[in-house]
Amino acid sequence: MTFLKTTAAIAALSLTSLALGASPASAYKVFISNEKENTISVIDSEKMEVIHTIKTGNRPRGIILSKDGKWVIVCTSDDNRMQVYDAETFQYVKDLPSGPDPELPILHTSGNPLYVSNEDDNLVTVVDIFKGTIITDVPVGVEPEGMGMSPDGKVLVNTSETTNMAHFITTDGYKNFDNVLVDNRPRVAEFKSDGSEVWVSAEIGGTVTIIDPADRKIKGKITFEIQGITKDAIQPVGVRFNQDNSKAYVALGPANRVAVIDAKTYKVEKYILVGQRVWNLGFTPDFKLLFATNGTSNDVTVIDAASDKAIKSIKTGRYPWGVVSGLTPVKAADTSAPK
Amino acid sequence: MTQANPEPTPPEMAGYKPFRPVLSAAAAVKWRLPHYLLAIAALTVAVPAVAQPPPASPAAEPGASEAAADVKSLPILMVRQLRPDRLPPLSLLDLPPKDDGLAGARLAIDDNNTTGRFLKQNFALELIESEDTVELIAEAKKRVEGGIGFIVTDLDAKPTLELADALKGLDAVIFNASAPDENIREEDCRANLKHTAPSRAMLSDALAQYLAWKRWGNWVLVVGPAPQDKAFAEALRRSAQRFGMKIVEERTFNYDPGSRRSDGGFEQIQQQIPTFTQKLPEHDVLVVADEGELFGEYFPYRTWDAKPVVGTAGLYPTSWHPAIELWGGTQFQNRFKRLANRNMRALDYNAWMAVRSIGEAATRKQSVERKPLIDYMLSPEFELAAFKGRKLTYRAWNGQLRQPIVLATGKMHVTVSPQPGFLHQFTELDTMGIDRPETKCRAYQK
């Protein structure tokens, strides 16, 4: 019954968006990397079920799509490389080089090159995804992790987990032109789509720091308080903005909640209860559904962005880590693919 | 030692060629800033503006002296008590390496400097080591008078206190990385003494919580003859009472360790241990208190009854284990192995936490001055990320670093305490060790 209601709600939502002139709601593919299982779960966003499982290399973590949506690119950390899979056929395409222990990749706004943080060597590697070659390495702090790309494609932000900094790097010439100290163990750097702010989550610090990319000044810092949860358990990781940048969603790790934040006032509006140790977040391309990966409970929580309610849990592989949602709608044929 | 020591000791010099007193000779040692260090110092300044700091290039040398002057240096002193009389542990795998603890401090110096190069701070480790703790303390005091404000110790409890007393009134803080003794945290606590090493009560509480979670509530306690064995047994008795466990029988294991190595031995042990553990009342686990690791390892698989062995052998509590890959620990372990060519031990980790605490304070306060950093570390704002899945802080009532405790076997971790369900008003980490309402420490009260 709940599911029917949900479907109805989604249908209603899609009508609303039609009226607003947005593209019609479609089923998207949502790709979830399962860190412990060495697989990618492919979820149909409409059916809200796993339609396929891709076997990958070892310890798949950071996962993105190529700009045209045809390639799924995943860091297989323990293999010290990245892998490319076809987003339509789910077939293996090729490997891409990286440094040791690649964790999070991000593409230049033009679609190439790719920048990847290598957790084990204090470097960000720049990779040409078409040629499959390393262009250069950029030295950063200890344990590089989060990767943010300014919407104009000019600035790359990398966070380093033990140096506790956000490193600002030009994509033209790879100059590390500024470093902003944030709280302990920064994980994710995420730009607003208008480029006005970059938000950096600090897992151990328990905060999100808001930086103005223009002058690298700290504009604000968000802290979290949840009744019945000790401060230590509130560990922000994944950060996503909704389509018009009015709201931000922050995954809070072992607090098992996703915070909904007014992205203008920086006030936390709501905590959505999700699965255990929630780390990363990903919107469907229409920004209607937010998928949250719950590492310890082996599932993803689907959040309806209009109501900010968790509407479904979907079982994935073991220790789901990263999430990216496909630009290409699911084709009818895909659903018959082997599970 | 008359000269102040304004120039940073290069970590390489401190690490590979440890200065050992022979204290009279020490006065003659002139620390010179080598050429390559100047180049590195220049680079630290260049980094924020330059994309790829090349390995010491000639281009970096002009103007190096001005650049070096820009970089603020923060020396940290490690004081190591050499203990040649200490008996080696039973297992060949557990023989302490020569740089036990020291390598952890060196890794933290490297980690601090990676951040420091962005903030124009340079951290350096100075080392003094000796069997003679009186000489060590005198030398440490000279160094403090010469400007050092931060000391990491691998000392027994008694010399730790003596050092704290010798430095009383000076702007210096000591981080005890090795002594687990309760008294130096409690009735004999000192305001200038912090502890990154977990106390015996923290270790025994961590173990007891897990045994409570398992409902293995009936313990047989086997205690060795050494004073530290008795001290750990005392901590275990307290933990048993605290978490509703019952010690159904206690036996003292008196032994003459003899030579660790002999071509044989198991034949007799296989007879001795079953005999020793015969006719025990019904129990769930056998808890061994043998801190020196001189006999405890004889117990697993040899007891009369088929019961698990825990305590200092079998399943044991520790601040660190070389197999931990939790909470991003893999990269941390890898960095250590690249530096030291061996596994990271608990003492290394404790020393790393101490040196990283200093680095963290220097980063946050953007200062290398002693007083503000010492004050900051006492404040509730201070927190340390140390690959334990949550922030670590110092207890305001006795300077003990709160931390999750790993329960492990020789191969890998079994669990991490605090266990689920052990709740606390402020932080679950305070369910382990002496909590604020119980403390006998008065030195921290203002």
Side-chain angles (χ1 to χ4, degrees):
Chain A
M1 275 312 286
T2 319
F3 181 66
L4 281 177
K5 265 189 225 156
T6 309
T7 319
I10 291 168
L13 277 169
S14 54
L15 282 175
T16 320
S17 53
L18 266 176
L20 291 169
S23 57
S26 9
Y28 297 101
K29 284 180 206 148
V30 183
F31 299 91
I32 311 286
S33 58
N34 299 307
E35 181 183 7
K36 193 104 182 163
E37 192 174 87
N38 300 339
T39 59
I40 295 169
S41 300
V42 187
I43 293 171
D44 179 321
S45 70
E46 193 172 85
K47 291 200 172 87
M48 295 201 198
E49 61 182 36
V50 175
I51 55 168
H52 190 81
T53 301
I54 306 171
K55 190 91 191 106
T56 66
N58 287 309
R59 200 176 181 205
R61 294 198 284 172
I63 184 167
I64 57 168
L65 287 169
S66 59
K67 196 176 181 189
D68 61 9
K70 287 181 179 158
W71 283 354
V72 182
I73 303 168
V74 63
C75 292
T76 42
S77 301
D78 279 3
D79 294 338
N80 302 324
R81 60 192 155 104
M82 295 175 282
Q83 291 185 324
V84 179
Y85 291 88
D86 187 305
E88 287 295 324
T89 64
F90 311 134
Q91 295 302 305
Y92 166 81
V93 177
K94 63 175 177 178
D95 282 355
L96 289 175
S98 71
D101 206 354
E103 181 157 1
L104 274 171
I106 195 164
L107 282 175
H108 187 261
T109 40
S110 66
N112 196 36
L114 176 151
Y115 310 92
V116 61
S117 56
N118 305 304
E119 215 180 349
D120 212 5
D121 71 351
N122 310 344
L123 290 176
V124 167
T125 301
V126 187
V127 179
D128 185 316
I129 61 168
F130 301 119
K131 291 185 191 153
T133 52
I134 291 178
I135 298 168
T136 189
D137 289 315
V138 185
V140 289
V142 184
E143 291 177 41
E145 167 106 10
M147 301 290 281
M149 171 60 58
S150 67
D152 62 8
K154 287 184 179 161
V155 176
L156 177 73
V157 173
N158 162 256
T159 66
S160 47
E161 285 182 321
T162 297
T163 304
N164 301 324
M165 281 183 174
H167 306 283
F168 285 71
I169 299 159
T170 60
T171 54
D172 175 14
Y174 309 114
K175 284 206 178 357
N176 175 201
F177 65 96
D178 211 344
N179 304 286
V180 179
L181 193 61
V182 295
D183 285 331
N184 270 318
R185 208 167 170 82
R187 289 290 299 266
V188 163
E190 180 81 359
F191 274 88
K192 279 187 175 172
S193 60
D194 60 9
S196 63
E197 291 173 354
V198 57
W199 290 32
V200 177
S201 61
E203 184 184 9
I204 297 296
T207 60
V208 174
T209 300
I210 297 146
I211 303 169
D212 184 339
D215 58 8
R216 275 82 60 202
K217 292 259 166 14
I218 292 175
K219 288 177 76 176
K221 195 174 273 190
I222 299 167
T223 55
F224 303 90
E225 226 158 288
I226 306 170
Q227 194 160 18
I229 308 265
T230 55
K231 279 246 164 195
D232 312 6
I234 300 175
Q235 302 182 353
V237 179
V239 181
R240 294 289 178 194
F241 296 101
N242 67 352
Q243 195 158 20
D244 64 3
N245 295 313
S246 61
K247 280 194 290 190
Y249 296 83
V250 177
L252 297 179
N256 305 337
R257 278 158 180 85
V258 172
V260 186
I261 299 162
D262 182 322
K264 302 229 156 48
T265 63
Y266 311 146
K267 284 225 161 65
V268 182
E269 294 182 333
K270 191 175 173 180
Y271 294 100
I272 305 168
L273 185 64
V274 295
Q276 291 172 26
R277 203 202 70 186
V278 56
W279 263 4
N280 284 299
L281 302 172
F283 270 109
T284 49
D286 60 4
F287 286 90
K288 285 177 184 157
L289 298 176
L290 181 70
F291 284 73
T293 56
N294 307 314
T296 314
S297 52
N298 295 346
D299 57 9
V300 294
T301 303
V302 188
I303 293 165
D304 170 39
S307 63
D308 287 334
K309 287 204 165 104
I311 55 175
K312 175 121 175 155
S313 294
I314 305 168
K315 189 180 173 303
T316 60
R318 286 184 290 150
Y319 283 78
W321 197 97
V323 48
V324 67
S325 180
L327 294 162
T328 47
V330 175
K331 283 183 184 167
D334 289 342
T335 54
S336 61
K339 290 205 175 170
Chain B
M1 181 118 169
T2 45
Q3 91 269 29
N5 208 14
E7 292 167 339
T9 309
E12 290 80 2
M13 190 180 279
Y16 291 122
K17 291 175 206 146
F19 157 74
R20 290 179 163 198
V22 198
L23 290 174
S24 50
V29 175
K30 271 276 182 194
W31 301 101
R32 291 189 61 90
L33 197 61
H35 193 62
Y36 70 87
L37 194 73
L38 287 172
I40 291 167
L43 278 170
T44 60
V45 179
V47 164
V50 175
Q52 297 178 60
S57 69
E61 281 180 40
S65 48
E66 298 99 287
D70 253 19
V71 175
K72 299 225 163 52
S73 99
L74 198 165
I76 296 166
L77 178 66
M78 181 146 195
V79 181
R80 291 181 86 203
Q81 177 182 1
L82 301 176
R83 303 164 176 100
D85 297 341
R86 187 187 270 182
L87 290 165
L90 285 178
S91 169
L92 190 56
L93 298 178
D94 295 332
L95 295 183
K98 280 205 160 42
D99 58 353
D100 198 8
L102 176 61
R106 288 177 51 218
L107 179 69
I109 290 282
D110 287 356
D111 285 355
N112 286 352
N113 278 333
T114 316
T115 310
R117 73 172 203 227
F118 294 106
L119 299 172
K120 299 185 183 181
Q121 295 175 338
N122 183 62
F123 299 82
L125 194 67
E126 295 184 19
L127 172 68
I128 52 176
E129 53 187 1
S130 173
E131 293 164 33
D132 184 336
T133 56
V134 175
E135 277 191 340
L136 271 179
I137 290 163
E139 176 64 17
K141 191 174 180 208
K142 272 184 203 162
R143 303 274 179 125
V144 167
E145 285 162 352
I148 283 190
F150 303 95
I151 298 160
V152 180
T153 58
D154 172 10
L155 293 171
D156 291 340
K158 191 166 160 283
T160 302
L161 281 188
E162 287 163 0
L163 176 63
D165 290 340
L167 302 183
K168 194 176 177 182
L170 301 171
D171 277 344
V173 63
I174 302 162
F175 295 81
N176 161 32
S178 70
D181 302 65
E182 224 62 56
N183 69 305
I184 62 173
R185 294 158 172 85
E186 288 299 310
E187 59 271 25
D188 298 327
C189 72
R190 300 288 188 268
N192 58 355
L193 178 59
K194 290 176 183 299
H195 312 270
T196 56
S199 69
R200 288 196 178 97
M202 288 165 72
L203 297 169
S204 63
D205 282 350
L207 179 64
Q209 282 190 11
Y210 180 64
L211 296 179
W213 189 87
K214 290 292 296 171
R215 302 193 185 282
W216 289 345
N218 293 312
W219 302 359
V220 164
L221 183 58
V222 177
V223 188
Q228 59 267 36
D229 299 343
K230 288 173 184 158
F232 190 53
E234 188 50 44
L236 286 163
R237 283 184 213 107
R238 174 190 156 279
S239 299
Q241 194 186 17
R242 193 174 162 102
F243 297 110
M245 309 281 100
K246 197 170 164 197
I247 296 173
V248 294
E249 188 163 329
E250 202 173 306
R251 287 185 184 176
T252 303
F253 192 82
N254 282 312
Y255 65 100
D256 176 9
S259 72
R260 188 189 65 83
R261 194 153 57 106
S262 61
D263 206 346
F266 71 88
E267 303 90 340
Q268 291 177 16
I269 296 156
Q270 189 166 331
Q271 300 293 332
Q272 284 163 358
I273 302 298
T275 315
F276 178 80
T277 52
Q278 218 175 342
K279 291 180 183 162
L280 283 167
E282 182 60 31
H283 59 285
D284 299 309
V285 288
L286 187 136
V287 188
V288 182
D290 161 39
E291 282 197 357
E293 294 177 49
L294 301 175
F295 68 89
E297 285 298 334
Y298 289 151
F299 277 73
Y301 308 105
R302 291 192 179 101
T303 50
W304 183 270
D305 300 302
K307 301 293 180 192
V309 175
V310 302
T312 54
L315 183 74
Y316 67 97
T318 178
S319 62
W320 192 252
H321 190 281
I324 290 180
E325 294 189 273
L326 305 159
W327 310 299
T330 314
Q331 293 78 34
F332 182 44
Q333 305 272 25
N334 287 345
R335 280 211 303 283
F336 184 86
K337 278 192 212 175
R338 282 197 291 263
L339 178 113
N341 293 314
R342 61 172 176 84
N343 284 331
M344 190 177 349
R345 295 157 56 93
L347 184 58
D348 293 307
Y349 177 72
N350 299 345
W352 181 89
M353 289 196 291
V355 174
R356 272 294 299 135
S357 291
I358 300 157
E360 176 67 15
T363 301
R364 296 295 160 196
K365 297 318 281 180
Q366 309 232 352
S367 166
V368 295
E369 301 302 316
R370 303 195 248 187
K371 195 79 175 67
L373 299 195
I374 293 170
D375 289 346
Y376 178 65
M377 281 188 275
L378 281 170
S379 78
E381 283 79 48
F382 179 83
E383 58 190 48
L384 182 69
F387 304 93
K388 285 279 182 84
R390 62 172 93 196
K391 63 186 82 169
L392 308 188
T393 52
Y394 287 93
R395 286 180 179 148
W397 59 90
N398 67 357
Q400 170 69 51
L401 189 71
R402 333 176 142 83
Q403 54 187 299
I405 299 289
V406 177
L407 298 179
T409 64
K411 278 271 168 96
M412 70 184 288
H413 62 274
V414 170
T415 184
V416 181
S417 286
Q419 292 296 316
F422 291 91
L423 304 179
H424 192 277
Q425 188 179 1
F426 302 112
T427 164
E428 283 95 12
L429 293 177
D430 285 347
T431 62
M432 302 185 298
I434 307 294
D435 201 357
R436 188 193 295 265
E438 314 161 287
T439 188
K440 294 189 198 110
C441 176
R442 296 287 170 264
Y444 275 78
Q445 289 176 358
K446 286 188 180 139

